[in-house]
Amino acid sequence: MEAPASFEGDERVRLFCALRLPPETVERIVAWQSDELAGASGGRIVPAEHLHVTLAFLGHRPAAELDGIIRVLREVAAGAARPRLTLRGYRETRSVAMLAFDDEDGRAAALADDLQARLEALGVYERERRRWLAHVTVLRFRRRPRLRPALPELEPFVPSDAAAYLSRLRPGGAHYEVLETVRVGGN
């Protein structure tokens, strides 16, 4: 894939790679957000089209690196076992609320680890110190609301694809654009 025509080679773009959620999982999370999180004072619910499981957040990178990043994502996804994620619980950090998931057989973690290692070898990524956690961010806030919502009724799910995303920062929050999706291997 060539960098989109709207990018100049030396332009810096904000990028991340993530697993996409099946439509029925997104629908259930959105309904739960409406029921359980809508009243969070000062919180901003993450919209349906932004729900995902981040594999690697690259931050601002030169647009010229996009081809290599997508090539690595394709290679890793093609060779990965498809992960199966099961809801574990709700948690809050200082700026976001998330649904955390158990990762059957560590497949999602293995995919994330392989992707991060190859992106690091490419010179476009630096690993975070904390261990990777399968999670979906569902609410953003400036002040932690300390909610204790009932959990959504989610069946375990298997993401069938991953994507490279462009993240554009805007006054109302980041806006994500899928640059390319790749199938996650079927084994």
Side-chain angles (χ1 to χ4, degrees):
M1 173 185 161
E2 292 185 30
S6 61
F7 295 147
E8 298 294 325
D10 60 349
E11 181 180 352
R12 294 183 71 79
V13 291
R14 192 169 185 251
L15 303 170
F16 66 93
C17 298
L19 293 170
R20 294 177 6 128
L21 307 180
E24 58 276 5
T25 302
V26 171
E27 288 171 17
R28 287 184 178 214
I29 291 174
V30 168
W32 171 80
Q33 287 173 305
S34 178
D35 292 343
E36 296 289 333
L37 305 181
S41 177
R44 206 170 57 242
I45 289 179
V46 175
E49 63 275 13
H50 292 182
L51 297 172
H52 62 270
V53 176
T54 302
L55 295 168
F57 179 76
L58 289 85
H60 288 90
R61 304 298 316 164
E65 294 177 352
L66 187 56
D67 287 345
I69 291 165
I70 290 175
R71 179 181 44 76
V72 167
L73 177 62
R74 276 189 202 124
E75 291 169 2
V76 169
R82 290 180 63 190
R84 180 178 166 90
L85 302 174
T86 303
L87 182 61
R88 178 187 329 151
Y90 170 88
R91 64 188 273 197
E92 294 177 359
T93 67
R94 63 179 171 74
S95 59
V96 302
M98 64 181 73
L99 294 174
F101 293 86
D102 287 325
D103 174 16
E104 183 178 299
D105 297 329
R107 293 176 188 167
L111 192 160
D113 185 60
D114 189 17
L115 178 65
Q116 292 171 9
R118 292 190 199 197
L119 290 172
E120 202 167 40
L122 190 61
V124 300
Y125 181 74
E126 185 176 328
R127 288 180 195 248
E128 296 181 24
R129 295 184 202 275
R130 63 181 175 222
R131 201 174 101 183
W132 182 83
L133 172 69
H135 72 278
V136 174
T137 299
V138 293
L139 181 71
R140 297 187 181 281
F141 43 77
R142 292 185 194 274
R143 198 166 108 166
R144 193 172 170 186
R146 301 194 187 281
L147 301 174
R148 294 186 184 272
L151 293 178
E153 292 185 24
L154 292 181
E155 296 294 323
F157 65 93
V158 177
S160 60
D161 61 11
Y165 287 83
L166 170 67
S167 173
R168 296 182 194 269
L169 297 177
R170 299 200 170 139
H175 175 76
Y176 304 150
E177 179 183 332
V178 174
L179 298 174
E180 181 160 321
T181 60
V182 297
R183 186 175 189 286
V184 175
N187 37 340

